Amino acid sequence: MGQSDPVLVPEVSQHEVRVRQGFTGTELLLFGAVLNPEGRAGQGYDIVVVLKGPAEPIRLREKERFAGVWVNAQSNDFRSVPSFFAVASSRPISEIVDEKTAAIYEFGTAYIQLSPSGSIDPEEQLRFALGLVDLKQRQGLYKEDMDGVQITENVLYQARISLPSNVTTGTYTAETFAVTEGRVIASAIAEVEVRKVGMERRVEEFSQDFGLAYGLVAVLLSVFMGWGAGRVFARL
């Protein structure tokens, strides 16, 4: 980037999201300003915001019907899958940059870098990748809003992105890009920490520190609840 390129000053409405019992999701406001090196307003920029959750490895299994029963068939491993992914832009991405640039900066769910592993056929790999993205979209964890960024007087911008109740805890990165004539000329990152508090936090810590004990407690609790339900229905 040259000395005449603008400077992005990003901010987030919440730098910490607390997940407690009854959490139904929340909305993040990502906002900021685009300034040139002299501190004046910029002109003619598009803004793209990419919000990503912590990456995690995933094995995606495909099911097929065999003798009237659904069984696991092929599977594919992905080394680095964002647990949450959202893109908001001031215009449709296809009107802002070309496909190569969109792929470099992950400007859309079609361009997420999932890092597949294994020696599976490329066409099969693509099919699994599309299936994974579709699954995440149906879970409300992957989303796009091609008219989700509002720009005021070529200086201020804002975008609203909803986090659903089933978000993964960890550090989320909100990266903002300023684009002009198909070229990314400035970028900046803000972080949001999503963490559990209260009883949910204690249960999570117990499951991580004492995995075997947590598993035994979960099994015993399930057995007890099943036995209790059986006793209740037996009396009806």
Side-chain angles (χ1 to χ4, degrees), residues 74-76 116-128:
Q74 285 186 297
S75 65
N76 192 32
S117 61
S119 57
I120 190 171
D121 180 79
E123 291 186 2
E124 289 293 298
Q125 207 167 67
L126 176 60
R127 185 165 62 85
F128 272 99

Side-chain angles (χ1 to χ4, degrees), residues 4-7 33-43 45 153-155:
S4 60
D5 290 336
V7 176
V34 187
L35 303 174
N36 69 18
E38 288 74 35
R40 299 193 303 272
Q43 293 183 355
Y45 304 121
E153 296 181 355
N154 293 319
V155 184

Side-chain angles (χ1 to χ4, degrees), residues 10-73:
E11 190 52 86
V12 184
S13 58
Q14 301 179 63
H15 284 282
E16 181 180 77
V17 175
R18 298 186 175 187
V19 178
R20 63 182 74 243
Q21 186 176 6
F23 178 73
T24 58
T26 190
E27 184 179 71
L28 294 179
L29 174 63
L30 296 88
F31 61 96
V34 187
L35 303 174
N36 69 18
E38 288 74 35
R40 299 193 303 272
Q43 293 183 355
Y45 304 121
D46 279 296
I47 296 293
V48 182
V49 177
V50 180
L51 178 64
K52 292 196 291 186
E56 55 191 4
I58 285 182
R59 169 168 289 181
L60 190 66
R61 296 185 183 276
E62 186 177 55
K63 292 185 178 294
E64 64 179 20
R65 200 172 183 84
F66 178 76
V69 179
W70 288 101
V71 297
N72 290 330

Side-chain angles (χ1 to χ4, degrees), residues 104-187:
I104 292 173
Y105 295 100
E106 297 182 284
F107 284 171
T109 56
Y111 306 108
I112 302 175
Q113 298 172 13
L114 299 172
S115 301
S117 61
S119 57
I120 190 171
D121 180 79
E123 291 186 2
E124 289 293 298
Q125 207 167 67
L126 176 60
R127 185 165 62 85
F128 272 99
L130 293 174
L132 175 59
V133 171
D134 178 66
L135 175 63
K136 291 285 191 179
Q137 288 176 323
R138 287 187 279 112
Q139 293 173 338
L141 295 172
Y142 283 10
K143 56 187 71 178
E144 297 178 338
D145 188 350
M146 297 295 103
D147 192 30
V149 178
Q150 286 74 51
I151 302 175
T152 304
E153 296 181 355
N154 293 319
V155 184
L156 304 177
Y157 69 87
Q158 67 171 16
R160 297 180 184 274
I161 297 178
S162 297
L163 294 179
S165 59
N166 56 335
V167 290
T168 299
T169 57
T171 302
Y172 286 59
T173 58
E175 190 163 10
T176 304
F177 302 87
V179 185
T180 185
E181 297 181 352
R183 185 172 68 94
V184 174
I185 55 176
S187 65

Side-chain angles (χ1 to χ4, degrees), residues 16-23 169 193-205:
E16 181 180 77
V17 175
R18 298 186 175 187
V19 178
R20 63 182 74 243
Q21 186 176 6
F23 178 73
T169 57
E193 191 71 25
V194 177
R195 66 185 187 93
K196 292 182 179 179
V197 296
M199 180 59 71
E200 286 73 18
R201 178 64 176 175
R202 290 192 287 272
V203 170
E204 181 181 52
E205 290 177 345

